[in-house]
Amino acid sequence: MILEKLSLINYKNIQTATLELSPKINCLIGQNGVGKTNVLDAIYYLSFCHSANNPMDSQVIRHGEEFFMIEGKYNEDIAISCGFKRGSKKHFKKNKKEYKRLSEHIGLIPVVMVSPADTLLIDGGSEERRRLMDMVISQYDRSYIEHLNRYNKALLQRNTMLKADDEPNIDVISLWEEQMAMAGEQIYQRREAFVKEMVPIFQRFYETISGNREQVALNYVSHCQRGPLLEVIQRDRFKDRAVGYSLHGIHRDDLEIALGGHQMKREGSQGQHKTFVIALKLAQFDFLKRTNTKTTPLLLLDDIFDKLDAKRVEQIVSLVAGNEFGQIFITDTNRDHLDQILSASSHDYKIFFVEDGNVQERR
């Protein structure tokens, strides 16, 4: 997939901008806080129907304004647009036809974004790592979101009954547990297959970037591995009632991360953490590219070179400048890093300078 033109109005600190883009490499240069990341976030929004950083649409409207609009024109005659006005509903359209459900759009334009916030995959709780799995799988398996929605609805209903003052009706709570188990088993199967296939790709990228100096591992952990999920959920219903929420289920799944046989969170340096995140996201890119959609994702690289030594930067540059990757968007405050990428690639590129929300192409 290629994004040919991006238009923004009142998106975060960008009042108005229109970018005619390169089909290969697009570099955004500027100091911190000037709006480089906001351009990438708008591209992310057009793929996932929401911002990567702001959960509420009202938070991405430029200060003092009442609405925002984003429009992207892609190859294959695809135009995606979104408009939102304070106090109104969001309008998300493909070729001027509004979606009935936003879930119908997910996966049409696959995107992989690498940003400084991704260190939460290591430092944060298990929900961050589950979110990664869910985001990738939902881009190539449309039924996955439906299973997630059913599971989360049943989980919410069960938790409401568990924390109520009155003793739960056994028949009703059993019904919600059955729905949790049916949807949860489907989610588990898809997560397990995804992790099994992605791990060797991830390890290959990590070894390349680190120069084969370190060994990393990913291990998927789920309550589904303890037996039939319905039995696991119902086994400790008494404990769940005592704490007021569900202690078992796929909402507790996790990815264990290890460096040299030890927990990455405790052992890894900042450079190793960043190498891990970049390798994981590049593996995600490779995985999506090979799924049944056969669509090359857009790759968004936001300030990825900070805290990396020169050798690791060189390895990343050689990877992303190769033919395996499609259209790439890179932000940096350091022009030297971008010049290094451009000199290593024979592909077309464009450079945009960003300052106080203004985006100008440098010809």
Side-chain angles (χ1 to χ4, degrees), residues 13-33:
N13 76 326
I14 301 173
Q15 183 175 22
T16 179
T18 300
L19 287 69
E20 302 281 351
L21 299 163
S22 163
K24 181 58 182 177
I25 301 176
N26 296 276
C27 304
L28 295 111
I29 301 174
Q31 298 303 310
N32 293 324

Side-chain angles (χ1 to χ4, degrees), residues 66-111:
E66 291 298 314
F67 73 97
F68 78 81
M69 290 193 66
I70 317 173
E71 183 176 27
K73 293 184 178 179
Y74 301 81
N75 62 334
E76 302 178 11
D77 294 322
I78 295 175
I80 304 298
S81 63
C82 179
F84 176 77
K85 184 178 181 180
R86 296 187 194 277
S88 302
K89 63 172 287 189
K90 173 165 53 183
H91 296 279
F92 210 95
K93 300 178 182 180
K94 174 187 175 185
N95 295 336
K96 299 183 178 181
K97 183 178 180 181
E98 188 161 359
Y99 284 101
K100 293 181 179 179
R101 295 187 302 170
L102 294 180
S103 60
E104 297 173 1
H105 176 70
I106 306 301
L108 177 67
I109 306 166
V111 159

Side-chain angles (χ1 to χ4, degrees), residues 330-344:
I330 308 172
T331 72
D332 206 316
T333 58
N334 188 333
R335 175 68 187 265
D336 294 339
H337 290 150
L338 299 180
D339 285 340
Q340 190 177 355
I341 292 175
L342 299 177
S343 65

